[in-house]
Amino acid sequence: MISLPILPTTVIGSYPRPKWFREIIKGYKNGRYGEELLKEASDDAVVSVISDQEEVGIDIPSDGEMRRDEMVEYFAERIEGFRFYGPVRVWGNNFFRKPAVVSKITYIRPIVVDEYLFLRRHSSRPVVKVTITGPYTIADWSFNEYYNSKEELAFELAKVIGTEIKKLEEVGSLFVQVDEPALTTHPKEMDWAVQAINKAVEGVNIKVGLHVCYSNYSLLKPYFDELRVTQFALEFANRGFRDLEVVKGLSKELGFGVIDVHSRVVEEPEYVAKALFKIMEYLSPEYIYVNPDCGLKLLPRSIAKAKLRAMVEGVMIVRRELAKKGLTEIPLRNKV
Ligand SMILES: [Zn+2]
C-alpha cells in the first residue's frame, strides 16, 4: 500500500507555460516551426514545470497541462463527433473555439494516456495526478447539433471519458481528477449531471477526485454521498474561507483550496496554516489534501511557484503540530 505524508500537497492541474514555450507555440501556429520542435519543446516544458513543483515540495505533481490550450477544446479535438466553429469569448479576454457535436460521439484513441506516461517517467514522486475534463462540462460548453438532449450527449461523453479513465488505470495511473467547473451552473440539470459523472467512473478502482470551483457548494453538498468519487477538490481561498461548514460530515476526502489563483499576492505560510487549522474543525486531517483553488495557468510562472512554496511551508507548520499527536502519514485511498 502506498502512503503519503499527512495533508498531501498537490495542484489542481494547470501551471503557467514557460515564456519560451509560448514563443515556440506561437511560431508553430504561424508555420515557423514544425511538429518535431513543438513536441520536443512540449516535453521540455513538462519537465520544467514538474521540476518547479517538486523543488518547492509538492507531493503529487501534475504535468501542468502544458500540452492543452483549453480544457474542453483539447478533449473535443480528440473525440470523434465534434467539429469546431470560430472562437467565442468565455470570460475577460479569453477565447476558445467552441466545439459542436455533429455526429455520434465515439472514442477513437487514448486522449491523455501519453501525457500520464510522460509525467510518470519524469516525476520522482510515487503518486502523480492526471486531470480529465468531465462529461457534463464538455456537454455544457459545446453546441449540441446531433443528440436529442444535452442529457443524452452527456451520457455518451461519460462512456468515452470512462473508457479513458480505465485506460489510465490499466497503464498504472493512481490518481485521476475529473474537472467539472460547470456542474452547479444549471441546478435543474444536476440530478442527471451527477449520474453522468458516476457513469464515467463506473468500474474504476483508482483514486478519483472531482474538482468544482467558483460554485455554490450548497448545491453540490446534497450530492456528496451520491457522487462515486474519493475526493472533492474545492476552492475556498478566493471566497475568504467562507462556507467551510459545507464539508461538515463529509465522508470523503477534501482537496482544500488554500491559494487564490486570481490574485498575484503570494500568501504567507502562516495564512495557509491558519486556514488548515480552521478546516480541521470540520474535517479530520487524515481526510484533507491541500491544493490551490484552481489551475495556476493565468499567473506569472514565478508567482505560481512562490504560491506553491508558501502553500507547502504552511502545510509544514501544521504537520509539525500533527506529528506531536503521532499523525504523520495517510494511506492512498482508492475509489470504492
Ligand atoms: Zn477550477
Side-chain angles (χ1 to χ4, degrees):
M1 194 178 57
I2 294 172
S3 55
L4 293 162
I6 194 150
L7 304 174
T9 55
T10 185
V11 286
I12 289 302
S14 76
Y15 194 80
R17 279 174 165 164
K19 246 187 211 134
W20 57 264
F21 182 43
R22 276 184 266 153
E23 289 302 314
I24 288 172
I25 292 171
K26 232 185 275 168
Y28 170 76
K29 284 184 177 166
N30 66 28
R32 193 151 36 106
Y33 303 133
E35 289 285 343
E36 200 181 326
L37 182 66
L38 180 72
K39 164 83 170 62
E40 183 183 338
S42 305
D43 288 354
D44 288 350
V46 173
V47 171
S48 305
V49 305
I50 295 170
S51 157
D52 274 17
Q53 297 169 70
E54 296 194 353
E55 189 193 317
V56 299
I58 294 294
D59 299 309
I60 305 175
S62 75
D63 79 342
E65 300 177 6
M66 287 295 110
R67 302 171 206 273
R68 311 184 193 178
D69 282 340
E70 200 282 329
M71 64 182 290
V72 164
E73 179 185 290
Y74 189 84
F75 284 78
E77 277 172 341
R78 288 160 178 78
I79 298 169
E80 191 161 298
F82 286 97
R83 63 161 284 192
F84 285 87
Y85 296 122
V88 294
R89 182 187 284 245
V90 268
W91 33 269
N93 273 323
N94 292 279
F95 290 82
F96 91 115
R97 293 157 58 225
K98 188 161 172 168
V101 179
V102 295
S103 60
K104 189 174 162 40
I105 290 293
T106 313
Y107 184 88
I108 36 174
R109 61 187 158 96
I111 304 167
V112 295
V113 167
D114 285 345
E115 279 186 16
Y116 161 72
L117 291 171
F118 187 86
L119 168 63
R120 182 57 287 164
R121 277 200 302 281
H122 293 274
S123 171
S124 68
R125 302 292 196 253
V127 182
V128 296
K129 182 192 270 189
V130 182
T131 55
I132 290 207
T133 308
Y136 180 73
T137 295
I138 300 178
D140 189 53
W141 293 4
S142 302
F143 295 113
N144 175 15
E145 299 175 357
Y146 182 77
Y147 290 98
N148 291 321
S149 64
K150 197 206 279 186
E151 178 176 353
E152 196 185 340
L153 169 60
F155 276 86
E156 288 306 309
L157 286 164
K159 287 186 214 160
V160 167
I161 296 302
T163 303
E164 182 68 5
I165 299 175
K166 284 188 209 85
K167 292 246 188 271
L168 285 164
E169 181 172 355
E170 272 166 37
V171 297
S173 171
L174 299 171
F175 187 1
V176 170
Q177 176 183 285
V178 177
D179 293 330
E180 284 283 16
L183 182 56
T184 63
T185 54
H186 305 285
K188 289 200 180 94
E189 298 177 353
M190 281 187 74
D191 281 347
W192 59 256
V194 161
Q195 293 317 318
I197 296 167
N198 281 345
K199 175 91 195 155
V201 300
E202 199 175 71
V204 172
N205 302 303
I206 54 173
K207 183 178 205 68
V208 177
L210 180 68
H211 172 58
V212 186
C213 52
Y214 310 104
S215 298
N216 180 351
Y217 290 142
S218 63
L219 294 174
L220 183 63
K221 189 181 170 79
Y223 298 97
F224 277 164
D225 286 338
E226 202 174 332
L227 276 158
R228 310 261 302 161
V229 297
T230 331
Q231 177 179 114
F232 293 94
L234 307 179
E235 147 273 318
F236 282 106
N238 185 259
R239 64 185 73 201
F241 301 106
R242 284 190 306 277
D243 310 334
L244 292 185
E245 63 284 352
V246 82
V247 303
K248 204 172 169 184
L250 179 68
S251 61
K252 291 165 181 163
E253 293 173 350
L254 171 69
F256 184 40
V258 294
I259 296 294
D260 185 358
V261 306
H262 290 171
S263 156
R264 293 190 173 199
V265 178
V266 177
E267 287 81 356
E268 295 291 331
E270 293 73 20
Y271 169 89
V272 171
K274 200 174 147 207
L276 283 164
F277 285 122
K278 188 100 193 122
I279 194 72
M280 281 156 42
E281 292 171 20
Y282 298 96
L283 202 62
S284 156
E286 289 145 293
Y287 284 82
I288 300 170
Y289 279 49
V290 188
N291 43 253
D293 278 353
C294 191
L296 298 162
K297 70 188 276 187
L298 296 178
L299 289 165
R301 183 179 177 188
S302 60
I303 292 181
K305 187 174 176 183
K307 279 176 171 268
L308 289 184
R309 190 190 299 276
M311 184 178 91
V312 171
E313 284 171 1
V315 167
M316 293 301 180
I317 296 170
V318 184
R319 278 185 191 160
R320 282 194 286 274
E321 292 307 308
L322 295 174
K324 292 176 191 162
K325 298 179 195 160
L327 293 174
T328 56
E329 287 186 342
I330 57 163
L332 179 75
R333 295 184 193 90
N334 291 331
K335 182 180 158 291
V336 284

